Amino acid sequence: MAATILDGRELGRTIEKDLMSRIDNLKGRGLHPHLAVVIVGDDPASHVYVRNKEMACERCGIKSTRIDLDSSVTEIEILKVVEMLNLDDSVNGILVQSPLPKGIDESLIIDAINPQKDVDGFHNVNLGKLVQGNTSGLLPCTPAGIMKILEFSDFETSGKNALVIGRSRIVGMPLSILLAQRGIDATVTIAHSRTKNLAEICRQADLVVAAIGRAEFVKPEWIKPGAMVIDVGINRIPDSTRKSGSRLTGDVDPDVMDIAGWMTPVPGGVGPMTIAMLMSNTVMGTELFSNI
Ligand code: GUN
């Protein structure tokens, strides 16, 4: 039987709609949630992601400001922009789009952001809270979106084997911590490029999260029948049957659909949930920390 498709676009829009009354409430108090996005260089995928974030702000009634910097910009110049946004009381959220050009120390830039405006949830202070079991603050958006998908799908996580493939700062690491937290109680395995017998480990998993950035890497024969499969990947691959000559695909082979119990599509799965959680963090940051 084919897997139930977990529609992240629909769930994301529901979450955005729920935010609107909180946004109206804030506006009534003279507070207009405001997200500032810094983008460096001309990476086409990053420009698409940033545009999607701006459109979500428009849908929700969140003000957005975009700051475009040339790829030749120095670390000091980016730090100056971050400091300016930190000092601007009308800005509630700051996001510096990743990846940054070679030679720029990304963690230095992120740690310069006021943690109360760190709507990406990547600052050491926010990640530190997460590690200590405090999940009430600004959480990284993709992991938080995946947790929402699990919540809405009624998938029982307690005592289940969860396999997270990928150990990135943005997805794999924080998600593993969220899945292992008290109340969620999954038994978490983190797999990465040095993992041996990945197929065998994957076959034991009730929940598989693929976040490795390799097109259609996870194969149907690796999947336990009925498992929940969350695909975080967005890869562009050649496809001569398309007018554009290419198509988007995830980190999971589409044939997994015939084996899994639930599966997120690409596009339209995790991506829109990441954006909805960014909107949610911006609203939460405004509610909790606004100086105006
Ligand atoms: N690049 C890819 N995903 C993300 C994200 O969630 N936040 C930022 N800042 N950059 C990204």
Side-chain angles (χ1 to χ4, degrees):
M1 213 173 79
T4 300
I5 299 298
L6 300 162
D7 186 340
R9 201 166 274 143
E10 193 186 327
L11 180 54
R13 294 296 164 96
T14 305
I15 289 169
E16 288 176 13
K17 280 212 180 81
D18 288 348
L19 289 174
M20 285 177 196
S21 59
R22 287 164 63 189
I23 294 168
D24 284 346
N25 210 305
L26 284 164
K27 285 180 180 167
R29 293 164 46 204
L31 302 170
H32 190 162
H34 180 186
L35 172 68
V37 179
V38 180
I39 178 162
V40 184
D42 45 19
D43 174 54
S46 289
H47 276 264
V48 172
Y49 296 146
V50 167
R51 182 69 200 125
N52 287 341
K53 290 168 186 174
E54 287 176 312
M55 288 194 304
C57 285
E58 278 166 35
R59 280 197 301 275
C60 296
I62 292 174
K63 181 177 174 193
S64 71
T65 299
R66 171 191 175 127
I67 296 165
D68 272 278
L69 300 174
D70 193 82
S71 56
S72 64
V73 75
T74 63
E75 216 164 69
I76 303 275
E77 284 166 324
I78 304 175
L79 288 170
K80 276 189 186 149
V81 169
V82 167
E83 193 48 22
M84 175 194 77
L85 296 170
N86 281 340
L87 293 172
D88 184 340
D89 283 341
S90 81
V91 171
N92 308 104
I94 303 170
L95 180 150
V96 179
Q97 185 66 24
S98 175
L100 290 171
K102 274 206 185 76
I104 306 273
D105 182 345
E106 209 159 300
S107 55
L108 188 81
I109 305 291
I110 288 161
D111 274 324
I113 297 172
N114 175 348
Q116 297 187 339
K117 296 188 180 188
D118 167 40
V119 283
D120 256 332
F122 297 159
H123 192 284
N124 282 338
V125 164
N126 290 321
L127 287 176
K129 282 184 186 164
L130 173 58
V131 172
Q132 297 189 59
N134 179 349
T135 55
S136 65
L138 296 168
L139 297 176
C141 301
T142 302
I146 293 170
M147 297 309 291
K148 281 275 177 219
I149 292 175
L150 294 177
E151 190 184 315
F152 278 80
S153 68
D154 279 333
F155 178 79
E156 176 56 62
T157 47
S158 181
K160 296 287 176 60
N161 289 335
L163 173 66
V164 178
I165 312 177
R167 54 182 162 183
S168 71
R169 177 181 55 96
I170 293 183
V171 185
M173 279 302 179
L175 177 65
S176 302
I177 294 165
L178 285 171
L179 288 168
Q181 74 183 295
R182 227 171 263 284
I184 301 296
D185 301 319
T187 303
V188 182
T189 302
I190 306 172
H192 45 74
S193 52
R194 300 293 167 99
T195 297
K196 294 197 166 69
N197 306 327
L198 180 56
E200 212 169 286
I201 295 169
C202 200
R203 273 192 289 271
Q204 310 296 317
D206 305 296
L207 165 65
V208 178
V209 182
I212 19 159
R214 290 174 67 176
E216 302 180 359
F217 179 72
V218 174
K219 301 297 176 200
E221 57 275 19
W222 300 9
I223 300 297
K224 181 176 177 175
M228 160 83 77
V229 179
I230 308 272
D231 191 349
V232 182
I234 304 183
N235 311 285
R236 188 161 285 286
I237 59 167
D239 183 345
S240 56
T241 67
R242 303 284 174 105
K243 220 159 93 186
S244 63
S246 68
R247 68 180 163 90
L248 285 180
T249 190
D251 289 352
V252 177
D253 187 319
D255 289 344
V256 164
M257 197 85 81
D258 298 332
I259 312 293
W262 298 266
M263 188 160 159
T264 59
V266 175
V270 173
M273 289 302 295
T274 298
I275 290 184
M277 299 323 290
L278 175 64
M279 300 300 107
S280 174
N281 276 351
T282 306
V283 172
M284 190 203 285
T286 312
E287 288 170 340
L288 293 179
F289 308 123
S290 192
N291 276 334
I292 297 178

